[in-house]
Amino acid sequence: MKLTDIFWPFRSDMNYIERELDRAIDTKEPVLHKAASHLLKAGGKRIRPVFVLLGGKFGNYDIERLKYVAVPLELIHAASLVHDDVIDDAELRRGKITVKSKWDNRIAMYTGDYIFARALTLVTELPNPQIHKILSNTIVEVCLGEIEQIRDLNNWDQNLRRYLRRIKRKTALLMAISCQLGAIATDASKDVVRRLYAYGYNAGMAFQITDDILDFTGDEKKLGKPAGSDLKQGNITLPALYAYHKSQNAAAFRVLAEENRTDEMIRFIREGECINEAQKLADRYLMRAAAALDGLPDNRNKETLLKIAHFFGERQS
Ligand code: 2DE
Ligand code: MG
Ligand code: MG
Ligand code: MG
């Protein structure tokens, strides 16, 4: 199943969101306009806006309100990636040259700031301080996660809990609040809001674990960036943690880690049981995502949320 098939019932509202994204970053300043649309035009799955719309389906669905959450969430995600590519010194994103490579770091930093500010312009159109607070608290968490990731670079002593907290901050929270804010913006009940948050959180955790697996197993063509880049950057993700602490040949792996033999570590992880074990944890989160939906009315939208969770576990890029 492809994501576009899953999104099919939303195509007309998603086309609208797409146009609003364009409009949001429109500016007469030529470099800023080109740089800001560069990443947005490179594709991307638009998962966060879809989560917002789906969340809104469990309240009083109103695209005119939901767009003030859906567009900002995609913009914040995009802004964070433009900055992330500066920090990670990345050449490729979504199969395309990054803003920082096409222009330079200065342009990329301002472009990220600009996209971020545009997101704030839109979300503050909604006179709902609860929404503003949830959004800003989440961005604080994302920043904390990134700082912590720097602290944990090349730290093989970290435990699973630390890894999970990092991916929660990096990925799961933004997905959780996408679902949650869609529901809040359309005045859904507290119970619905809570369930949708739990769904988004668990699906997001599975999404990032899969991402970390794909970084080892995927090929450059599909990923749009070189494989094994996490480990090369010193970012120790779940498959690597497993190899070091739990795998049958952990002792051999530790030698590779001590001597910094990255290519061999990547081969070890790809060929051993590490990927399967990581996959098992992703599956556990997917089951929790599905369970969170249990108390919601059975309808097409719930079906769609389940399909998306399923897609998260199966995706190849
Ligand atoms: C992607 O992680 C990281 C995303 C969050 C970056 C957050 C920043 C602070 P990866 P990939 C920079 C917040 C900034 C804002 C809101 C403007 O593991 O593999 O590097 O996709 O992911 O590069
Ligand atoms: Mg990064
Ligand atoms: Mg990165
Ligand atoms: Mg990654």
Side-chain angles (χ1 to χ4, degrees):
M1 191 98 188
K2 287 205 313 268
L3 213 49
T4 42
D5 300 334
I6 299 173
F7 294 173
W8 187 244
F10 289 93
R11 64 197 177 283
S12 103
D13 281 355
M14 282 308 290
N15 287 339
Y16 181 51
I17 295 293
E18 209 57 42
R19 291 197 299 277
E20 292 294 302
L21 276 168
D22 274 352
R23 232 158 59 90
I25 53 163
D26 196 26
T27 161
K28 288 207 173 71
E29 211 308 306
V31 171
L32 207 46
H33 184 259
K34 273 202 195 108
S37 43
H38 183 77
L39 174 71
L40 279 170
K41 291 282 162 201
K45 297 182 266 294
R46 307 293 191 247
I47 284 162
R48 291 151 196 84
V50 168
F51 275 164
V52 172
L53 301 193
L54 277 162
K57 289 284 184 187
F58 295 88
N60 304 310
Y61 189 88
D62 175 3
I63 187 71
E64 285 309 316
R65 265 211 252 170
L66 287 165
K67 72 176 182 192
Y68 291 116
V69 180
V71 173
L73 278 166
E74 186 64 20
L75 290 177
I76 288 167
H77 173 58
S80 77
L81 296 182
V82 173
H83 283 179
D84 178 69
D85 289 334
V86 172
I87 293 155
D88 293 345
D89 199 16
E91 296 289 324
L92 286 177
R93 158 91 52 202
R94 295 171 178 168
K96 254 175 89 172
I97 185 170
T98 51
V99 175
K100 79 112 209 160
S101 297
K102 182 158 185 191
W103 288 271
D104 59 31
N105 281 352
R106 296 169 309 176
I107 298 288
M109 291 317 287
Y110 289 134
T111 300
D113 290 340
Y114 167 72
I115 298 175
F116 184 46
R118 285 302 205 190
L120 298 182
T121 312
L122 290 173
V123 76
T124 48
E125 289 285 329
L126 290 178
N128 183 340
Q130 191 197 3
I131 293 180
H132 306 160
K133 256 185 216 151
I134 290 173
L135 191 62
S136 39
N137 288 342
T138 302
I139 298 166
V140 169
E141 289 292 318
V142 174
C143 294
L144 291 174
E146 290 303 298
I147 293 280
E148 203 171 70
Q149 178 167 301
I150 293 176
R151 195 177 310 137
D152 281 339
L153 282 181
N154 298 308
N155 170 16
W156 288 100
D157 266 337
Q158 61 183 296
N159 55 21
L160 178 65
R161 268 183 61 191
R162 240 186 132 76
Y163 165 78
L164 293 176
R165 186 171 71 183
R166 211 163 58 227
I167 65 170
K168 171 184 176 182
R169 286 169 158 166
K170 171 152 98 181
T171 305
L173 283 176
L174 212 53
M175 292 206 184
I177 71 161
S178 299
C179 299
Q180 180 193 28
L181 294 181
I184 291 178
T186 52
D187 303 317
S189 75
K190 277 215 170 74
D191 182 60
V192 165
V193 170
R194 191 179 52 78
R195 284 177 188 282
L196 284 166
Y197 177 93
Y199 163 85
Y201 165 75
N202 286 296
M205 293 295 282
F207 182 91
Q208 187 57 46
I209 293 174
T210 308
D211 203 70
D212 294 343
I213 292 173
L214 285 172
D215 195 80
F216 286 104
T217 59
D219 57 58
E220 176 158 353
K221 262 230 272 340
K222 274 193 194 147
L223 292 178
K225 61 187 172 195
S229 18
D230 284 335
L231 201 59
K232 283 180 192 151
Q233 284 170 36
N235 182 14
I236 297 167
T237 58
L238 184 58
L241 269 183
Y242 186 85
Y244 190 93
H245 291 282
K246 296 253 164 70
S247 66
Q248 283 178 24
N249 263 329
F253 186 84
R254 284 184 201 157
V255 174
L256 301 179
E258 240 137 72
E259 295 174 5
N260 242 324
R261 287 147 67 181
T262 316
D263 289 336
E264 285 159 90
M265 282 194 273
I266 293 170
R267 215 172 314 134
F268 181 106
I269 292 168
R270 286 172 73 116
E271 285 163 10
E273 78 261 37
C274 312
I275 299 298
N276 277 339
E277 288 301 317
Q279 189 62 52
K280 275 190 205 156
L281 187 56
D283 290 342
R284 282 231 295 280
Y285 278 106
L286 291 177
M287 304 226 309
R288 287 183 208 156
L293 299 176
D294 271 347
L296 295 180
D298 287 312
N299 57 28
R300 219 177 48 193
N301 304 303
K302 183 161 141 180
E303 261 328 273
T304 305
L305 286 170
L306 285 169
K307 278 189 204 155
I308 294 175
H310 186 73
F311 168 84
F312 279 7
E314 308 254 282
R315 73 197 177 94
Q316 296 299 318
S317 67

